[in-house]
Amino acid sequence: MNPAYIYRTIRFFFVIGVVILSLYAFLYLSKVTYPFIIGLAIAFLINPLVNIMEVKWKIPRALAVLIALVLIFAIFAGLITLLVAEIVSGADYLAKVVPQHLDTLIDFVEQFFAGQIIPLYNQLASLFNNLGTGQQDTIMTNIENVGKQFGSTLGDFIQGFFEKIPNILSWFPNAATVLIFSLLATFFISKDWHRLSGIFSRMLPSRAKKSGRTVFADLQKALFGFVKAQATLVSITTVIILAGLLILRVDYAITIALVTGLVDIIPYLGTGLIFVPWIIYEAIGGEMSRALGLGILYIIVLVQRQIMEPKILSSSIGLDPLATLIALFAGFKLIGFLGLIAGPVTLVLITTLHKAGVFRDIWMFIKGNEEAD
């Protein structure tokens, strides 16, 4: 066998081993360092704002970082306060209208039982009485087995729910601790960004440094493009829902549109979490015209989301629409809803590494200088 092919095979498996070990090490270290990874991500996001305040406004970097963190915290706190205020207002409205709608629902259930369930029960009881003793015993045994299985499943669910309550309660102190460490890490990383970048830059060879700059710049552009794309999609959804609700003359249309727009961040389930129960409720309550209008509005929102998402993501991130669509579908199939985010991010990473010549360098390393005879 030609020695060149043997060396190439060895280098190929060496590269595969390095990649696997790197991923394993990253996953292991991320379990104990994730607050600092979160801090690094936040510092990366606020870095452009901090640089503007430091360079253009001549604010000391430490103070600029503090101002940026306070500003972001104030924006989130303001949004949460506004959302809570709207929820309280909506709850007060629901407290006034729900009782009459509940009466309508109860009347519907009573009429449904009287007109459908009771006659069906009488027919089944008549058929059951006409069966033989053995057939009756078989049916009763099956019913008892189903009842026991249902009771066991329900009991396990209730037991598991109450067993998880301590874990849920213990999550809050842990979340507060993670938040504090993440904010502290963000402050120190962002404050010493240039110094840390210089240290890391000196540790890399010139070839890797050049590729790293390209990868970093493309990832930064893609990340902000992804955030911009999601904000655009949510804004379009909110405007369409608001217009539809105003046409249908729904009370609190602005509040409902804002909440539904925010929920739309959840892939696929987003607007359905609001519209599907609402449509069913309106249909049960006899408001078929409103249920039909909401159904049409829901379909419009779904269609525009499926059409616009690949196009907006591709234009904002700089990817081909077909490749973006494939990444969305593949990510969803592999890891579920999170794959709808991980898919485009993985595609961006692969494309960025390709543009930076990383894959070419790896292939040249595997190929080596040996020539086959």
Side-chain angles (χ1 to χ4, degrees):
M1 183 181 291
N2 193 316
Y5 293 114
I6 297 176
Y7 294 140
R8 289 175 186 176
T9 303
I10 293 174
R11 285 192 291 266
F12 173 76
F13 283 107
F14 174 76
V15 171
I16 296 298
V18 169
V19 171
I20 293 175
L21 287 177
S22 300
L23 290 175
Y24 179 79
F26 175 77
L27 292 176
Y28 176 77
L29 292 175
S30 64
K31 294 180 181 179
V32 293
T33 61
Y34 63 92
F36 304 97
I37 296 176
I38 295 173
L40 177 62
I42 298 175
F44 175 75
L45 291 174
I46 68 173
N47 196 49
L49 177 60
V50 174
N51 289 337
I52 291 175
M53 288 190 288
E54 181 187 18
V55 175
K56 292 187 176 181
W57 299 349
K58 306 300 180 183
I59 298 176
R61 188 168 183 86
L63 181 59
V65 174
L66 185 61
I67 293 174
L69 289 175
V70 171
L71 181 62
I72 293 175
F73 182 79
I75 292 173
F76 275 103
L79 291 175
I80 292 175
T81 303
L82 177 63
L83 182 61
V84 170
E86 292 294 339
I87 291 175
V88 170
S89 177
D92 181 64
Y93 169 76
L94 291 176
K96 297 177 182 178
V97 301
V98 162
Q100 58 184 8
H101 289 300
L102 187 60
D103 292 337
T104 303
L105 180 61
I106 293 174
D107 291 340
F108 173 80
V109 172
E110 290 177 350
Q111 293 175 7
F112 179 76
F113 266 87
Q116 303 293 332
I117 302 300
I118 294 178
L120 179 61
Y121 170 78
N122 292 331
Q123 293 177 7
L124 293 176
S126 177
L127 292 174
F128 180 78
N129 293 328
N130 292 331
L131 296 175
T133 304
Q135 293 175 322
Q136 292 181 359
D137 292 340
T138 302
I139 293 175
M140 291 302 298
T141 301
N142 291 332
I143 292 176
E144 289 176 0
N145 292 335
V146 171
K148 290 179 181 178
Q149 185 176 3
F150 176 77
S152 176
T153 304
L154 181 61
D156 292 341
F157 173 78
I158 295 174
Q159 180 181 0
F161 174 77
F162 283 106
E163 287 177 350
K164 290 179 180 179
I165 289 179
N167 295 331
I168 295 174
L169 295 178
S170 65
W171 177 84
F172 288 99
N174 181 63
T177 303
V178 171
L179 178 62
I180 292 173
F181 275 95
S182 297
L183 290 177
L184 289 174
T186 301
F187 176 79
F188 288 112
I189 292 173
S190 184
K191 180 177 73 70
D192 298 328
W193 183 270
H194 299 305
R195 183 176 65 84
L196 295 175
S197 299
I199 294 174
F200 186 73
S201 178
R202 288 192 295 271
M203 294 172 59
L204 294 176
S206 58
R207 179 77 178 179
K209 191 184 304 183
K210 181 179 179 182
S211 299
R213 289 196 189 100
T214 304
V215 172
F216 182 81
D218 288 347
L219 285 178
Q220 187 177 33
K221 178 183 177 182
L223 178 60
F224 284 102
F226 183 80
V227 174
K228 177 184 176 182
Q230 292 299 325
T232 303
L233 289 170
V234 169
S235 300
I236 292 174
T237 299
T238 302
V239 171
I240 292 175
I241 293 175
L242 178 60
L245 295 181
L246 291 176
I247 292 173
L248 294 174
R249 297 182 180 180
V250 175
D251 295 327
Y252 290 89
I254 297 178
T255 302
I256 296 174
L258 290 174
V259 173
T260 309
L262 292 175
V263 174
D264 189 49
I265 296 175
I266 304 174
Y268 281 95
L269 287 181
T271 53
L273 291 175
I274 305 295
F275 274 100
V276 172
W278 191 4
I279 293 170
I280 294 174
Y281 173 78
E282 294 292 350
I284 291 176
E287 298 289 340
M288 295 304 300
S289 59
R290 175 167 288 187
L292 180 62
L294 292 174
I296 295 173
L297 178 59
Y298 179 49
I299 292 174
I300 293 173
V301 170
L302 282 182
V303 171
Q304 72 84 21
R305 177 82 184 197
Q306 300 308 312
I307 293 175
M308 297 298 294
E309 185 170 14
K311 180 177 178 58
I312 292 178
L313 280 177
S314 62
S315 61
S316 299
I317 302 177
L319 299 176
D320 181 75
L322 179 59
T324 305
L325 187 62
I326 294 174
L328 288 169
F329 182 78
F332 174 73
K333 284 295 183 180
L334 290 175
I335 59 175
F337 296 125
L338 290 178
L340 295 172
I341 297 176
V345 171
T346 303
L347 180 61
V348 167
L349 182 60
I350 293 173
T351 305
T352 303
L353 294 176
H354 174 69
K355 290 180 179 179
V358 175
F359 295 134
R360 184 187 66 250
D361 293 340
I362 293 175
W363 171 245
M364 294 302 296
F365 170 76
I366 294 173
K367 187 177 179 181
N369 296 323
E370 300 89 356
E371 294 292 339
D373 293 336

